[in-house]
Amino acid sequence: MKDVTVGVDGSETALAAVEWAADDAARRGAWLRIVHVVDRSPYELAASPELDAALSEVACRIMSGAEKTARARRPGLPTRLENIEGRPADVLRGLADESAGLVLGSRGMGRTAGSILGSVSMQVAGHSTGPVIIVPDRPRRRVGEIVVGLDDTADCHRPISYAFEKADLHGAEIRALHAWSLPTHSYAPAIDYDLNTVRAGQRAVATSRLARFRTRYPALPVSDDLRSAHPVEALVEASREADLVVVGAHGRGRADSIVMGSVSRRVLRHARCPIAVVRPCGRH
Ligand SMILES: Nc1ncnc2c1ncn2[C@@H]1O[C@H](COP(=O)(O)OP(=O)(O)O)[C@@H](O)[C@H]1O
Ligand SMILES: [Mg+2]
C-alpha cells in the first residue's frame, strides 16, 4: 500500500491540504507522509551554524503544526514526518511518483499579489507520473459527487480510474463530464453539421470510455453529463459544487508530454474545490 503524501510549508492552505490528505489516507488505510522540503539554495552564501539552527527550528514548527492538524482531523492515523533538503518542486515531483497521491495547497507562503496558483503547485501538478491533488481551501461539507472530465484521449484511462477508485472509497457518485464543441476557427470546413449525429457520436465515445469502469464498479452510481460547452467553463462550474474534480494532465496526442494541457492549467487556476491532476497514460 502506497502512502498518501502531503507537502507543507507553514501556510494555512497547506493545512487544508493536510486535512484532505488525512481523510484520503484514512479511507485507503494508508499512511500519511507529511513532508517539508527545506530549500537552502537562497542562503548558500550566508551558510553558518546559526542559520542551520534557525532553518531547522522553522522546519520543526511547520511539521508539528501539520501533525497537530492531521491528528485533530483523523486521530490514530499512522503518520510519518520528513524533512528533506532540496528544490521543493523537484523533491515533491519525485514523491508524487511513489505515492497514492501527492496533496498540495493551491497557495503557499510565497504568495505574490495577483497570482492564483502557487509556483510549486504549478511546477508539480501535471509533471509527475503519480496523481497530484491541489486543495484550495479547508474541505467543505461533502456533497457526495466526484466529477471526472472526459476528453477524447484514446486508450488512456488513468484519470477515470482514479475518479472511480475515489468515489468507491468515499461512497460518492461519479459525474462524467464531457464538454464538446464544434470547430469554430476560420479554416473549419464549411459543412452543415447534423447536431444530433455529432451528439450521438460524442455520447458513444463517452459510453465506451466508461464501460469497463462501470463493469468494475457495478454498484457505483454513474451519470453522463454530455454538453456543448467549453471544457474549462464546464469543469470550473462543476468545481463549485463537487467534492473533487479529476482532470487529465494533458489531452490528446501528448501522451508523453510533461507540459500540462491548457484546460487542466486553467481549471487549476479557477477551481473552487480540490482538483486531482492525473497523467492519462502510464504505469500506475
Ligand atoms: N518547501 C515546501 N515543502 C513542502 N511543501 C511545499 C513547499 N513549498 C510549497 N509546498 C506545498 O505547495 C503548496 C503551494 O505552495 P507554492 O506553490 O509554493 O505557493 P506560493 O507560490 O504561493 O508560495 C503549499 O500549500 C504546500 O502544500
Ligand atoms: Mg512557495
Side-chain angles (χ1 to χ4, degrees):
M1 168 69 63
K2 290 179 182 173
D3 296 339
V4 173
T5 304
V6 60
V8 293
D9 65 347
S11 64
E12 264 298 306
T13 320
L15 294 181
V18 169
E19 292 190 341
W20 196 95
D23 286 348
D24 192 43
R27 295 266 175 191
R28 290 174 192 275
W31 282 67
L32 175 65
R33 182 178 185 189
I34 302 177
V35 176
H36 174 61
V37 185
V38 184
D39 188 359
R40 283 172 184 269
S41 55
Y43 309 104
E44 245 153 35
L45 293 176
S48 72
E50 292 77 30
L51 182 70
D52 281 356
L55 284 177
S56 2
E57 199 205 309
V58 170
C60 273
R61 237 183 304 141
I62 291 173
M63 301 298 281
S64 67
E67 191 185 25
K68 218 168 98 196
T69 301
R71 286 238 170 88
R73 180 85 182 178
R74 291 280 175 174
L77 180 70
T79 301
R80 40 176 152 257
L81 304 176
E82 266 174 79
N83 264 315
I84 304 176
E85 255 184 60
R87 251 195 95 241
D90 294 342
V91 173
L92 294 168
R93 259 201 303 261
L95 296 181
D97 294 344
E98 58 190 57
S99 303
L102 171 71
V103 189
L104 301 176
S106 60
R107 304 296 323 260
M109 287 303 273
R111 191 176 199 120
T112 43
S115 79
I116 302 167
L117 190 66
S119 63
V120 171
S121 297
M122 198 67 205
Q123 291 173 70
V124 177
H127 295 83
S128 55
T129 37
V132 176
I133 301 88
I134 303 292
V135 178
D137 275 309
R138 298 263 166 165
R140 308 178 292 227
R141 199 169 51 81
R142 284 188 58 227
V143 296
E145 182 183 73
I146 292 179
V147 170
V148 56
L150 298 185
D151 64 2
D152 42 11
T153 317
D155 303 328
C156 292
H157 298 294
R158 287 181 52 217
I160 307 177
S161 175
Y162 183 82
F164 273 70
E165 184 194 12
K166 273 297 282 179
D168 189 44
L169 285 168
H170 287 261
E173 298 184 3
I174 289 276
R175 173 150 68 101
L177 177 62
H178 183 55
W180 60 277
S181 45
L182 292 172
T184 50
H185 54 86
S186 37
Y187 296 106
I191 336 167
D192 281 332
Y193 294 96
D194 174 358
L195 276 184
N196 286 330
T197 313
V198 176
R199 221 173 274 130
Q202 298 284 357
R203 184 165 298 281
V205 171
T207 306
S208 79
R209 299 203 57 207
L210 293 171
R212 76 157 85 155
F213 298 98
R214 284 196 154 113
T215 312
R216 195 183 298 169
Y217 299 93
L220 204 77
V222 180
S223 62
D224 291 342
D225 183 357
L226 189 73
R227 55 169 92 177
S228 168
H230 193 283
V232 175
E233 280 164 22
L235 290 163
V236 169
E237 191 192 313
S239 78
R240 293 179 199 280
E241 278 294 320
D243 296 331
L244 176 72
V245 172
V246 183
V247 294
H250 45 72
R252 184 181 205 123
R254 306 184 67 172
D256 298 321
S257 174
I258 54 150
V259 181
M260 192 155 51
S262 70
V263 168
S264 333
R265 212 171 41 231
R266 283 150 68 197
V267 169
L268 271 183
R269 282 187 190 281
H270 301 291
R272 297 295 183 83
C273 76
I275 304 289
V277 182
V278 183
R279 290 184 97 179
C281 302
R283 287 169 285 115
H284 287 252

